[in-house]
């Protein structure tokens, strides 16, 4: 009996010691939350860019969805990472990588030489072309057609660079840089700007939902297409992503997602 009592006493003492210690440490030392052991990567994106990435509000809450999100989740699943998505303006994405606030960026981002000085890129996973979007009937087909016009572009994009190059040669062209592509589209509709330079698949979507607008593909030199961006020095992660991207191209998984988001007629 004596023995049993002391056993109970010891048990009570140790349980309360654990409870005390647990409360001091917030329980984390004894029972680490399962989540803390899972690998997680934060993806930065600029969700103003359907069908690459945009807010889906249909479920009553705002969720970032799109082509890039599906690719990221597929890669995450293959490599054993949970993917968390962080939305911000396009112009803030490279600074976010440099400050390591995000682990990678997928935002229809083109791997330019200038960006390569600050971030690492994966292989290109989707090609793109530039277009001029304007009110129906404008018929802007080349840079020369933009003479004397106000041209909208997204801040920090290659389209902004292209528009600035055009404006440098023809000083009657006025470049208007805005944070979100949707804002640019609204400015054209309101007649505050005459045109915008937007990439083909995005322009196709916006002109379908805004039948008062049209787009024409323009010849463009320089880099195009999308790649995943990482903080500088991410060689191991870049290699892991490239491996899955290559598998996705090989297996037809990527083509499946192209069809899902860009529809028939768009093939790489
Ligand atoms: N491809 C262009 C660039 O890299 C535009 C990308 C814009 N992306 C976005 N999610 N708004 O500059």
């Amino acid at each position: 009996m004596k023995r049993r009592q002391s056993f109970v006493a010891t048990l009570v003492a140790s349980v309360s010691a654990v409870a005390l210690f647990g409360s001091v440490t917030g329980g984390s030392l004894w029972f680490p939350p399962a989540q803390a052991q899972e690998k997680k990567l934060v993806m930065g994106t600029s969700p103003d860019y359907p069908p690459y990435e945009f807010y889906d509000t249909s479920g009553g809450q705002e969720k970032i969805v799109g082509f890039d999100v599906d690719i990221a989740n597929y890669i995450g699943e293959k490599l054993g990472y949970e993917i968390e998505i962080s939305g911000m303006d396009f112009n803030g994405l490279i600074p976010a990588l440099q400050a390591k606030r995000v682990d990678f960026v997928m935002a229809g981002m083109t791997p330019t030489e200038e960006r390569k000085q600050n971030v690492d890129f994966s292989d290109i996973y989707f090609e793109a072309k530039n277009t001029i979007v304007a009110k129906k009937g404008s018929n802007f087909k080349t840079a020369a057609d933009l003479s004397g016009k106000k041209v909208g572009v997204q801040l920090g994009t290659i389209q902004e660079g292209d528009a600035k190059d055009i404006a440098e040669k023809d000083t009657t062209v006025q470049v208007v840089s805005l944070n979100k592509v949707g804002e640019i589209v609204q400015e054209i509709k309101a007649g505050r700007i005459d045109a915008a330079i937007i990439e083909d698949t995005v322009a196709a979507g916006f002109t379908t939902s805004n039948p008062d607008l049209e787009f024409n593909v323009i010849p463009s030199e320089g880099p195009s297409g999308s790649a995943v961006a990482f903080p500088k020095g991410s060689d191991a992660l870049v290699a892991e992503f490239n491996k899955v991207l290559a598998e996705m191209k090989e297996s037809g998984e990527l083509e499946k997602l192209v069809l899902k988001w860009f529809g028939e007629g768009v093939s790489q």
Side-chain angles (χ1 to χ4, degrees), residues 45-49 53 90 107-110 115 154 156-159 181 199 225-226:
T45 193
S46 170
D48 65 320
Y49 217 50
E53 47 265 333
F90 188 80
M109 187 180 273
T110 307
R115 288 176 182 154
Q154 186 173 28
T157 59
I158 56 167
Q159 288 75 18
V181 175
E199 66 184 74
S226 303

PDB file of all heavy atoms in Angstrom, residues 45-49 53 90 107-110 115 154 156-159 181 199 225-226, ligand 1:
ATOM      1  N   THR A  45       3.600  36.424 -55.305  1.00  0.00           N
ATOM      2  CA  THR A  45       3.001  36.602 -56.625  1.00  0.00           C
ATOM      3  C   THR A  45       2.227  37.917 -56.669  1.00  0.00           C
ATOM      4  O   THR A  45       1.984  38.537 -55.635  1.00  0.00           O
ATOM      5  CB  THR A  45       2.106  35.414 -57.014  1.00  0.00           C
ATOM      6  OG1 THR A  45       1.808  35.504 -58.408  1.00  0.00           O
ATOM      7  CG2 THR A  45       0.814  35.371 -56.211  1.00  0.00           C
ATOM      8  N   SER A  46       1.876  38.324 -57.889  1.00  0.00           N
ATOM      9  CA  SER A  46       1.121  39.559 -58.078  1.00  0.00           C
ATOM     10  C   SER A  46      -0.209  39.184 -58.723  1.00  0.00           C
ATOM     11  O   SER A  46      -0.293  39.034 -59.936  1.00  0.00           O
ATOM     12  CB  SER A  46       1.945  40.484 -58.983  1.00  0.00           C
ATOM     13  OG  SER A  46       1.190  41.587 -59.393  1.00  0.00           O
ATOM     14  N   PRO A  47      -1.229  38.976 -57.886  1.00  0.00           N
ATOM     15  CA  PRO A  47      -2.460  38.338 -58.376  1.00  0.00           C
ATOM     16  C   PRO A  47      -3.411  39.282 -59.128  1.00  0.00           C
ATOM     17  O   PRO A  47      -4.595  39.353 -58.834  1.00  0.00           O
ATOM     18  CB  PRO A  47      -3.105  37.800 -57.103  1.00  0.00           C
ATOM     19  CG  PRO A  47      -2.530  38.607 -56.001  1.00  0.00           C
ATOM     20  CD  PRO A  47      -1.279  39.271 -56.459  1.00  0.00           C
ATOM     21  N   ASP A  48      -2.853  39.979 -60.108  1.00  0.00           N
ATOM     22  CA  ASP A  48      -3.651  40.887 -60.939  1.00  0.00           C
ATOM     23  C   ASP A  48      -3.558  40.424 -62.389  1.00  0.00           C
ATOM     24  O   ASP A  48      -3.743  41.221 -63.303  1.00  0.00           O
ATOM     25  CB  ASP A  48      -3.091  42.312 -60.829  1.00  0.00           C
ATOM     26  CG  ASP A  48      -1.683  42.406 -61.404  1.00  0.00           C
ATOM     27  OD1 ASP A  48      -0.895  41.468 -61.186  1.00  0.00           O
ATOM     28  OD2 ASP A  48      -1.373  43.391 -62.093  1.00  0.00           O
ATOM     29  N   TYR A  49      -3.220  39.145 -62.576  1.00  0.00           N
ATOM     30  CA  TYR A  49      -2.747  38.704 -63.875  1.00  0.00           C
ATOM     31  C   TYR A  49      -3.435  37.433 -64.354  1.00  0.00           C
ATOM     32  O   TYR A  49      -2.778  36.388 -64.512  1.00  0.00           O
ATOM     33  CB  TYR A  49      -1.233  38.472 -63.738  1.00  0.00           C
ATOM     34  CG  TYR A  49      -0.409  38.858 -64.935  1.00  0.00           C
ATOM     35  CD1 TYR A  49      -0.545  40.097 -65.530  1.00  0.00           C
ATOM     36  CD2 TYR A  49       0.543  37.977 -65.450  1.00  0.00           C
ATOM     37  CE1 TYR A  49       0.236  40.455 -66.609  1.00  0.00           C
ATOM     38  CE2 TYR A  49       1.337  38.336 -66.536  1.00  0.00           C
ATOM     39  CZ  TYR A  49       1.181  39.573 -67.107  1.00  0.00           C
ATOM     40  OH  TYR A  49       1.953  39.931 -68.175  1.00  0.00           O
ATOM     41  N   GLU A  53      -2.367  34.359 -62.397  1.00  0.00           N
ATOM     42  CA  GLU A  53      -2.712  34.431 -60.972  1.00  0.00           C
ATOM     43  C   GLU A  53      -3.701  35.564 -60.764  1.00  0.00           C
ATOM     44  O   GLU A  53      -3.508  36.662 -61.282  1.00  0.00           O
ATOM     45  CB  GLU A  53      -1.482  34.658 -60.063  1.00  0.00           C
ATOM     46  CG  GLU A  53      -0.540  35.754 -60.531  1.00  0.00           C
ATOM     47  CD  GLU A  53       0.601  35.187 -61.347  1.00  0.00           C
ATOM     48  OE1 GLU A  53       0.950  34.025 -61.131  1.00  0.00           O
ATOM     49  OE2 GLU A  53       1.129  35.889 -62.217  1.00  0.00           O
ATOM     50  N   PHE A  90       3.441  43.670 -58.296  1.00  0.00           N
ATOM     51  CA  PHE A  90       4.531  43.088 -59.086  1.00  0.00           C
ATOM     52  C   PHE A  90       5.868  43.742 -58.753  1.00  0.00           C
ATOM     53  O   PHE A  90       6.891  43.062 -58.607  1.00  0.00           O
ATOM     54  CB  PHE A  90       4.234  43.206 -60.583  1.00  0.00           C
ATOM     55  CG  PHE A  90       5.221  42.454 -61.423  1.00  0.00           C
ATOM     56  CD1 PHE A  90       5.114  41.081 -61.599  1.00  0.00           C
ATOM     57  CD2 PHE A  90       6.282  43.111 -62.029  1.00  0.00           C
ATOM     58  CE1 PHE A  90       6.044  40.373 -62.350  1.00  0.00           C
ATOM     59  CE2 PHE A  90       7.220  42.417 -62.785  1.00  0.00           C
ATOM     60  CZ  PHE A  90       7.093  41.048 -62.956  1.00  0.00           C
ATOM     61  N   ALA A 107       5.067  34.678 -61.086  1.00  0.00           N
ATOM     62  CA  ALA A 107       4.171  35.796 -61.393  1.00  0.00           C
ATOM     63  C   ALA A 107       4.239  36.116 -62.879  1.00  0.00           C
ATOM     64  O   ALA A 107       4.243  37.276 -63.265  1.00  0.00           O
ATOM     65  CB  ALA A 107       4.554  37.006 -60.557  1.00  0.00           C
ATOM     66  N   GLY A 108       4.341  35.071 -63.688  1.00  0.00           N
ATOM     67  CA  GLY A 108       4.517  35.299 -65.119  1.00  0.00           C
ATOM     68  C   GLY A 108       5.763  36.138 -65.352  1.00  0.00           C
ATOM     69  O   GLY A 108       5.803  36.970 -66.244  1.00  0.00           O
ATOM     70  N   MET A 109       6.774  35.922 -64.518  1.00  0.00           N
ATOM     71  CA  MET A 109       7.951  36.798 -64.545  1.00  0.00           C
ATOM     72  C   MET A 109       8.973  36.346 -65.590  1.00  0.00           C
ATOM     73  O   MET A 109       9.344  35.180 -65.657  1.00  0.00           O
ATOM     74  CB  MET A 109       8.606  36.862 -63.165  1.00  0.00           C
ATOM     75  CG  MET A 109       9.723  37.891 -63.103  1.00  0.00           C
ATOM     76  SD  MET A 109      10.506  37.975 -61.491  1.00  0.00           S
ATOM     77  CE  MET A 109       9.451  39.146 -60.665  1.00  0.00           C
ATOM     78  N   THR A 110       9.412  37.311 -66.380  1.00  0.00           N
ATOM     79  CA  THR A 110      10.369  37.039 -67.453  1.00  0.00           C
ATOM     80  C   THR A 110      11.802  37.127 -66.933  1.00  0.00           C
ATOM     81  O   THR A 110      12.145  38.102 -66.244  1.00  0.00           O
ATOM     82  CB  THR A 110      10.153  38.063 -68.590  1.00  0.00           C
ATOM     83  OG1 THR A 110       8.769  38.032 -68.942  1.00  0.00           O
ATOM     84  CG2 THR A 110      10.998  37.738 -69.803  1.00  0.00           C
ATOM     85  N   ARG A 115      17.295  41.443 -64.242  1.00  0.00           N
ATOM     86  CA  ARG A 115      16.798  40.763 -63.042  1.00  0.00           C
ATOM     87  C   ARG A 115      17.765  39.689 -62.574  1.00  0.00           C
ATOM     88  O   ARG A 115      17.868  39.417 -61.373  1.00  0.00           O
ATOM     89  CB  ARG A 115      15.420  40.154 -63.331  1.00  0.00           C
ATOM     90  CG  ARG A 115      14.327  41.200 -63.441  1.00  0.00           C
ATOM     91  CD  ARG A 115      13.003  40.575 -63.822  1.00  0.00           C
ATOM     92  NE  ARG A 115      11.969  41.587 -63.967  1.00  0.00           N
ATOM     93  CZ  ARG A 115      10.893  41.449 -64.733  1.00  0.00           C
ATOM     94  NH1 ARG A 115      10.709  40.324 -65.417  1.00  0.00           N
ATOM     95  NH2 ARG A 115      10.001  42.416 -64.820  1.00  0.00           N
ATOM     96  N   GLN A 154       2.348  48.061 -66.651  1.00  0.00           N
ATOM     97  CA  GLN A 154       2.457  47.730 -65.228  1.00  0.00           C
ATOM     98  C   GLN A 154       3.862  48.069 -64.722  1.00  0.00           C
ATOM     99  O   GLN A 154       4.867  47.730 -65.359  1.00  0.00           O
ATOM    100  CB  GLN A 154       2.162  46.242 -64.997  1.00  0.00           C
ATOM    101  CG  GLN A 154       2.135  45.897 -63.507  1.00  0.00           C
ATOM    102  CD  GLN A 154       1.682  44.479 -63.243  1.00  0.00           C
ATOM    103  OE1 GLN A 154       1.850  43.587 -64.064  1.00  0.00           O
ATOM    104  NE2 GLN A 154       1.106  44.271 -62.062  1.00  0.00           N
ATOM    105  N   GLY A 156       7.305  48.177 -63.167  1.00  0.00           N
ATOM    106  CA  GLY A 156       8.337  47.166 -62.897  1.00  0.00           C
ATOM    107  C   GLY A 156       8.376  46.008 -63.881  1.00  0.00           C
ATOM    108  O   GLY A 156       9.159  45.082 -63.697  1.00  0.00           O
ATOM    109  N   THR A 157       7.545  46.062 -64.918  1.00  0.00           N
ATOM    110  CA  THR A 157       7.502  44.937 -65.857  1.00  0.00           C
ATOM    111  C   THR A 157       8.374  45.196 -67.097  1.00  0.00           C
ATOM    112  O   THR A 157       8.786  46.328 -67.350  1.00  0.00           O
ATOM    113  CB  THR A 157       6.062  44.681 -66.352  1.00  0.00           C
ATOM    114  OG1 THR A 157       5.584  45.875 -67.004  1.00  0.00           O
ATOM    115  CG2 THR A 157       5.136  44.326 -65.197  1.00  0.00           C
ATOM    116  N   ILE A 158       8.579  44.142 -67.880  1.00  0.00           N
ATOM    117  CA  ILE A 158       9.319  44.310 -69.138  1.00  0.00           C
ATOM    118  C   ILE A 158       8.507  45.179 -70.095  1.00  0.00           C
ATOM    119  O   ILE A 158       9.066  45.860 -70.936  1.00  0.00           O
ATOM    120  CB  ILE A 158       9.678  42.958 -69.814  1.00  0.00           C
ATOM    121  CG1 ILE A 158       8.442  42.093 -70.055  1.00  0.00           C
ATOM    122  CG2 ILE A 158      10.698  42.200 -68.991  1.00  0.00           C
ATOM    123  CD1 ILE A 158       8.710  40.925 -70.996  1.00  0.00           C
ATOM    124  N   GLN A 159       7.167  45.151 -69.937  1.00  0.00           N
ATOM    125  CA  GLN A 159       6.318  45.999 -70.777  1.00  0.00           C
ATOM    126  C   GLN A 159       6.591  47.474 -70.483  1.00  0.00           C
ATOM    127  O   GLN A 159       6.574  48.301 -71.390  1.00  0.00           O
ATOM    128  CB  GLN A 159       4.833  45.662 -70.552  1.00  0.00           C
ATOM    129  CG  GLN A 159       4.383  44.329 -71.141  1.00  0.00           C
ATOM    130  CD  GLN A 159       4.838  43.115 -70.348  1.00  0.00           C
ATOM    131  OE1 GLN A 159       5.207  43.212 -69.183  1.00  0.00           O
ATOM    132  NE2 GLN A 159       4.817  41.945 -70.976  1.00  0.00           N
ATOM    133  N   VAL A 181      -2.633  45.433 -63.518  1.00  0.00           N
ATOM    134  CA  VAL A 181      -3.107  45.380 -64.897  1.00  0.00           C
ATOM    135  C   VAL A 181      -4.588  45.755 -64.978  1.00  0.00           C
ATOM    136  O   VAL A 181      -5.010  46.445 -65.906  1.00  0.00           O
ATOM    137  CB  VAL A 181      -2.820  43.986 -65.519  1.00  0.00           C
ATOM    138  CG1 VAL A 181      -3.419  43.871 -66.903  1.00  0.00           C
ATOM    139  CG2 VAL A 181      -1.315  43.744 -65.584  1.00  0.00           C
ATOM    140  N   GLU A 199       0.822  41.367 -72.089  1.00  0.00           N
ATOM    141  CA  GLU A 199       1.173  40.144 -72.816  1.00  0.00           C
ATOM    142  C   GLU A 199      -0.045  39.374 -73.307  1.00  0.00           C
ATOM    143  O   GLU A 199      -1.139  39.487 -72.756  1.00  0.00           O
ATOM    144  CB  GLU A 199       2.200  39.286 -72.081  1.00  0.00           C
ATOM    145  CG  GLU A 199       1.802  38.658 -70.805  1.00  0.00           C
ATOM    146  CD  GLU A 199       3.006  37.930 -70.173  1.00  0.00           C
ATOM    147  OE1 GLU A 199       3.909  38.600 -69.641  1.00  0.00           O
ATOM    148  OE2 GLU A 199       3.037  36.690 -70.228  1.00  0.00           O
ATOM    149  N   GLY A 225       8.487  35.247 -71.972  1.00  0.00           N
ATOM    150  CA  GLY A 225       8.249  33.984 -71.290  1.00  0.00           C
ATOM    151  C   GLY A 225       8.385  34.110 -69.785  1.00  0.00           C
ATOM    152  O   GLY A 225       8.820  35.137 -69.266  1.00  0.00           O
ATOM    153  N   SER A 226       7.973  33.047 -69.107  1.00  0.00           N
ATOM    154  CA  SER A 226       7.925  33.062 -67.642  1.00  0.00           C
ATOM    155  C   SER A 226       8.851  32.021 -67.038  1.00  0.00           C
ATOM    156  O   SER A 226       8.958  30.904 -67.542  1.00  0.00           O
ATOM    157  CB  SER A 226       6.514  32.746 -67.168  1.00  0.00           C
ATOM    158  OG  SER A 226       5.602  33.655 -67.718  1.00  0.00           O
TER     159      SER A 226
HETATM  160  N1  LIG B   1       6.196  39.070 -68.012  1.00  0.00           N
HETATM  161  C1  LIG B   1       6.233  40.416 -67.576  1.00  0.00           C
HETATM  162  C2  LIG B   1       7.465  40.713 -66.744  1.00  0.00           C
HETATM  163  O1  LIG B   1       8.125  39.832 -66.320  1.00  0.00           O
HETATM  164  C3  LIG B   1       4.999  40.850 -66.826  1.00  0.00           C
HETATM  165  C4  LIG B   1       4.637  40.023 -65.636  1.00  0.00           C
HETATM  166  C5  LIG B   1       3.537  40.629 -64.807  1.00  0.00           C
HETATM  167  N2  LIG B   1       3.054  39.691 -63.837  1.00  0.00           N
HETATM  168  C6  LIG B   1       2.038  39.921 -62.988  1.00  0.00           C
HETATM  169  N3  LIG B   1       1.692  38.923 -62.192  1.00  0.00           N
HETATM  170  N4  LIG B   1       1.400  41.041 -62.968  1.00  0.00           N
HETATM  171  O2  LIG B   1       7.803  41.844 -66.520  1.00  0.00           O
END
